[in-house]
Amino acid sequence: MPARAFWQGQIKLALVSIPVEIYPATKSSAAVSFRQIHEPTGKPIHYDKVVTGVGPVDPEEILKGFEISKGNYVLLEQDEIEAVKIESRKTLDLVQFVEADAIDVLYYEKPYFVVPADDLAEEAYAVLRDALRQTRKVGLGQLSVRGREQLVSLKPCGRGMVLEVLRYADEVTKAQTYFRGLPDDTADEDMLDLAVSIIDKRTAPFKPEEFHDRYVDALHRLIDKKKKAKGKRIIEEVDDEPTGRKAGNVIDLMAALKKSAGEAGRKAPARGKAPAKGKAPAKKAAPRRKSA
């Protein structure tokens, strides 16, 4: 467990307060980050704050500005910004509960693990966790941390609970903006049956460890090779995967679905052999009658 919690405080359910600690459930250490380097010296590039037509400026002369129109800004002093920051509170009030599937996936932003702060908190923690699980509800509240207020949800996760930071309504673009122009026609029944068949045959338990970012893996391999090559240039040729068709060709959707359904069937795990196509199952021979 990380040495330092993201937040420490109490989750409040009516008159019940549960001391908890919150830890990030994700990490960005797997990503590969780069610095810009001055090749002749091998030293990193730094960025100076400059004004067009003026050049480098003193950091004390810099204010934060909000653009209200092209080239026009409202300037804010740092102490003015600090004055409106929300005071961090040590209590998360669960003010509402909703059905577990009522929150659209677009609103979820970042998950955190919630654990009881001490042994005394474990009983109340377990009661809240199991109550959420039994009712299939998600708790909602607003968490004040680092000067701003975040909308959060709380739900059970295995033996514990997960808090997820949610986006506010004005941070989410309405789907109609992009989907309004799509036709409202229903899909062809035969094609739909084939698509459902492909999905059924490829359905399996979700195992995230089986998926990897191939770009990140390739970067790590390249970095290792560069270390061993002591800086020599390395270019690896990558064969493009066949697309199966040339750009611009019209796709026969039904034919593609039928072919995909056949391939999905071959890849699917065997569930007992079916009779060969075109052949009826062999009939059992009738028992012989005994002669009188």
Side-chain angles (χ1 to χ4, degrees):
M1 184 174 292
R4 187 176 180 182
F6 170 76
W7 185 83
Q8 292 175 306
Q10 296 179 331
I11 292 177
K12 196 171 182 182
L13 175 65
L15 298 178
V16 179
S17 294
I18 309 168
V20 298
E21 296 177 345
I22 296 176
Y23 296 89
T26 59
K27 57 184 179 180
S28 58
S29 59
V32 177
S33 60
F34 295 104
R35 289 284 305 272
Q36 289 191 325
I37 304 298
H38 182 230
E39 186 178 6
T41 62
K43 294 182 178 180
I45 302 294
H46 296 283
Y47 296 92
D48 295 324
K49 296 186 182 294
V50 297
V51 175
T52 303
V54 177
V57 296
D58 190 324
E60 293 183 0
E61 298 176 339
I62 299 174
L63 297 178
K64 290 187 177 179
F66 179 82
E67 190 172 24
I68 54 175
S69 62
K70 186 67 174 178
N72 294 316
Y73 300 86
V74 172
L75 302 181
L76 300 172
E77 301 278 355
Q78 187 60 36
D79 57 353
E80 292 176 316
I81 296 173
E82 294 293 335
V84 298
K85 282 188 175 180
I86 301 297
E87 183 180 354
S88 294
R89 295 198 301 268
K90 294 298 182 183
T91 301
L92 170 61
D93 286 303
L94 297 179
V95 297
Q96 184 184 346
F97 296 87
V98 300
E99 298 292 337
D101 59 353
I103 303 174
D104 193 289
V105 66
L106 295 174
Y107 287 89
Y108 288 106
E109 186 172 358
K110 190 172 183 180
Y112 291 86
F113 293 129
V114 180
V115 298
D118 50 46
D119 294 343
L120 295 177
E122 288 182 359
E123 183 178 13
Y125 177 94
V127 170
L128 175 58
R129 176 200 63 203
D130 293 347
L132 290 172
R133 180 174 286 123
Q134 183 172 322
T135 58
R136 297 184 179 179
K137 294 292 197 303
V138 173
L140 295 179
Q142 287 180 288
L143 186 70
S144 299
V145 61
R146 296 179 181 174
R148 62 170 299 190
E149 201 168 40
Q150 296 176 317
L151 177 63
V152 299
S153 69
L154 183 71
K155 61 184 177 183
C157 177
R159 297 182 183 180
M161 289 188 286
V162 166
L163 177 142
E164 294 188 83
V165 174
L166 304 176
R167 297 179 176 90
Y168 286 102
D170 58 359
E171 296 179 290
V172 177
T173 303
K174 294 187 180 300
Q176 293 90 327
T177 304
Y178 296 93
F179 299 156
R180 187 182 293 114
L182 296 177
D184 197 24
D185 301 338
T186 56
D188 177 85
E189 285 294 329
D190 292 336
M191 293 186 182
L192 183 60
D193 288 343
L194 283 169
V196 169
S197 172
I198 295 169
I199 292 171
D200 287 341
K201 289 174 182 177
R202 294 192 175 186
T203 297
F206 175 53
K207 296 180 180 179
E209 64 275 6
E210 293 182 356
F211 296 87
H212 297 273
D213 187 330
R214 291 176 291 176
Y215 173 65
V216 171
D217 290 346
L219 280 177
H220 281 299
R221 289 195 300 269
L222 176 60
I223 291 169
D224 288 340
K225 288 182 179 179
K226 287 286 283 188
K227 283 195 298 186
K228 294 175 182 177
K230 297 181 179 180
K232 291 181 180 179
R233 185 174 175 82
I234 297 175
I235 298 294
E236 292 187 355
E237 293 184 2
V238 180
D239 294 331
D240 293 331
E241 293 184 4
T243 60
R245 66 184 180 92
K246 293 182 179 180
N249 284 0
V250 177
I251 302 174
D252 184 338
L253 185 55
M254 178 62 83
L257 284 169
K258 287 181 177 178
K259 184 177 180 180
S260 298
E263 291 178 355
R266 287 195 294 273
K267 293 178 181 178
R271 297 182 182 178
K273 293 182 179 179
K277 191 174 181 180
K279 292 184 179 180
K283 295 182 179 179
K284 293 182 179 179
R288 293 181 179 178
R289 294 183 178 179
K290 294 183 179 179
S291 56

